[in-house]
Amino acid sequence: MANFGMVGLDWQQRINWDRLRNYRLDRARERMKAHGLGAMLLMYDENVRYVTGTLTPGWNRLKPGLRYALLCGDDPPVLFEQGDLGAHIARHSPWIPKENICWSYAWIKGAAGPASLQQVNKFTNAIAKEMKKSGVQGAKLGVDFVDINIIQVFKDAKIEWADGMTPMMEARAIKNVDEQECMRMVGAIGDAAHWECMKFLKPGLTENKVTAHIMEFLYSIPGMEDVEDVIVSSGLNTWPNWRNFSDRIIKPGDIVFMDLAALTWNGYKSCYYRTYCVGKEPTQEQNDYYATALKWLYDSIKAVKVGTTTREIALKWPSAKEAWGGQSVGPRARPGAIRSAGDLAHLVARPSGRDQGRNGVRARDPARQDA
């Protein structure tokens, strides 16, 4: 596919959204059954989005459980949505049966007291009702998030719960052709944003002006639904890396790095860094730091293969006490092995100068493990 066209056409096959949604739902159901679960209760929004193909406002994604979805056996998913947002889901997302769009019973996770307990009881009763309707009452329920209130009320309701995050991670790890095209698209958007940053950067600008410009650029792109942050750090702000921006004036010869933190296009994300030297050619010292970062990065990428653990990859780097770096494998950042062809390993190298506040650089690339 890989044509980077952003709209649907009658003469060219591009991203097939129906096929993508059906594939994701089938994957989730397959992994649910493989783990011996009769149903899965999903409260992290990335899992709700994966199974239901629905979008909710940013504030509703802030805490797991403000909205949630329930997948029971072979039935369509049930979406528990905040207030009147359900009316918009019914209008925008006809693949979710209208009778499967319900009110959510939310509470601030971890809160205690009678009000929270009342909500958790309503929440639990609604889950039990849907499980009974689908004929999976008494079956094991996978959950991707729990808090102390759920544990006790589920016990009282005789709902046996188990790990539901692992099956969802396994489902999301293998992406079909449409998801792969989404990842290419978000990568192309990241390339474009960094090209725009490179053209815009000059001495005299402040970090927050660069952030504002790139935010405007990204939100002008159709399908861009969320930009978690545009981190612009310059000079002494590059190390230790505080992952923020300020009103610091960028000076000639400054190292600047720009981090597109979780820009999201149609639900698919990229976190994409690049390092710049502004207004002057980089010094030999700055070049040396960047060469070190690239070496660590590509040594790590060469180690990526099916069965490799994140520990084995991290051993290509010095101790975190000497320099700070990170990596994530698959659909979520967590320690473990590269499980299958198609996993994405996002590898980050961030060396520093000996003296804090001098030079920090960042280099990052996604490495996809093919069969």
Side-chain angles (χ1 to χ4, degrees):
M1 211 183 297
N3 61 74
F4 302 115
M6 301 188 76
V7 300
L9 299 173
D10 70 333
W11 58 270
Q12 186 182 57
Q13 177 66 66
R14 295 187 175 182
I15 295 171
N16 185 322
W17 298 107
D18 283 335
R19 180 173 60 194
L20 178 148
R21 283 188 293 266
N22 289 333
Y23 171 82
R24 296 191 311 199
L25 183 56
D26 289 344
R27 280 286 299 168
R29 208 186 308 275
E30 172 197 330
R31 299 319 302 159
M32 175 181 75
K33 292 179 179 180
H35 282 261
L37 304 173
M40 285 197 298
L41 172 61
L42 307 172
M43 290 189 278
Y44 276 101
D45 195 69
E46 57 265 36
N47 289 333
V48 177
R49 179 73 175 265
Y50 187 86
V51 165
T52 68
T54 59
L55 177 67
T56 201
W59 59 265
N60 206 23
R61 300 192 293 265
L62 291 177
K63 289 185 180 294
L66 290 178
R67 75 167 188 156
Y68 45 94
L70 183 66
L71 183 62
C72 294
D74 293 319
D75 288 348
V78 179
L79 177 66
F80 295 84
E81 184 57 272
Q82 279 276 326
D84 55 3
L85 294 180
H88 292 280
I89 297 293
R91 187 157 56 97
H92 296 155
S93 309
W95 47 89
I96 303 293
K98 287 187 177 181
E99 63 272 18
N100 283 25
I101 302 170
C102 308
W103 302 97
S104 72
Y105 298 102
W107 67 100
I108 300 301
K109 298 301 175 281
S116 291
L117 186 59
Q118 183 183 57
Q119 282 294 92
V120 180
N121 276 301
K122 292 178 181 178
F123 168 93
T124 302
N125 290 339
I127 297 300
K129 177 183 174 183
E130 294 298 332
M131 290 181 70
K132 184 177 181 180
K133 186 191 298 183
S134 295
V136 293
Q137 72 273 31
K140 196 176 291 185
L141 173 67
V143 296
D144 64 352
F145 176 90
V146 293
D147 79 349
I148 194 166
N149 298 297
I150 295 176
I151 292 171
Q152 185 57 51
V153 176
F154 273 15
K155 182 179 179 182
D156 295 342
K158 295 182 171 51
I159 294 176
E160 183 185 0
W161 62 272
D163 172 20
M165 180 59 90
T166 297
M168 284 305 302
M169 290 179 63
E170 291 173 357
R172 291 164 49 199
I174 308 297
K175 302 195 181 328
N176 82 335
V177 62
D178 302 295
E179 292 183 285
Q180 291 173 34
E181 183 72 354
C182 288
M183 299 301 289
R184 293 187 190 101
M185 192 74 73
V186 78
I189 291 168
D191 286 341
H194 276 287
W195 180 261
E196 183 66 22
C197 182
M198 184 178 67
K199 292 190 299 177
F200 185 72
L201 268 176
K202 62 182 179 181
L205 292 175
T206 58
E207 293 172 354
N208 53 8
K209 283 183 179 177
V210 180
T211 290
H213 181 77
I214 300 303
M215 281 281 193
E216 180 182 18
F217 174 82
L218 288 168
Y219 276 116
S220 70
I221 295 171
M224 183 61 59
E225 64 196 42
D226 184 48
V227 182
E228 186 176 298
D229 214 344
V230 174
I231 297 167
V232 177
S233 297
S234 64
L236 55 82
N237 288 341
T238 61
W239 191 267
N241 173 20
W242 75 324
R243 292 174 292 285
N244 207 341
F245 57 86
S246 72
D247 61 350
R248 183 185 184 276
I249 297 172
I250 298 169
K251 299 183 296 183
D254 271 351
I255 286 287
V256 175
F257 54 67
M258 194 266 275
D259 176 357
L260 299 173
L263 64 91
T264 308
W265 184 84
N266 280 297
Y268 290 84
K269 296 178 181 289
S270 177
C271 193
Y272 187 169
Y273 320 147
R274 285 294 180 264
T275 301
Y276 304 91
C277 186
V278 181
K280 287 184 178 180
E281 290 294 315
T283 66
Q284 186 59 50
E285 182 185 32
Q286 290 168 334
N287 276 328
D288 289 346
Y289 291 140
Y290 197 73
T292 300
L294 285 181
K295 182 179 186 306
W296 291 353
L297 179 67
Y298 285 99
D299 284 351
S300 321
I301 287 175
K302 288 173 186 174
V304 174
K305 60 182 183 294
V306 173
T308 300
T309 64
T310 53
R311 180 180 183 276
E312 290 173 299
I313 297 171
L315 285 173
K316 300 294 181 181
W317 301 345
S319 164
K321 294 177 182 178
E322 301 173 40
W324 189 75
Q327 63 183 325
S328 63
V329 175
R332 286 179 64 85
R334 91 180 256 180
I338 298 175
R339 295 174 298 278
S340 57
D343 259 5
L344 286 173
H346 293 277
L347 303 170
V348 188
R350 308 179 185 104
S352 72
R354 286 186 182 176
D355 298 324
Q356 291 192 359
R358 289 181 64 189
N359 289 295
V361 300
R362 307 186 87 186
R364 180 169 191 158
D365 265 332
R368 180 175 180 272
Q369 176 58 46
D370 291 315

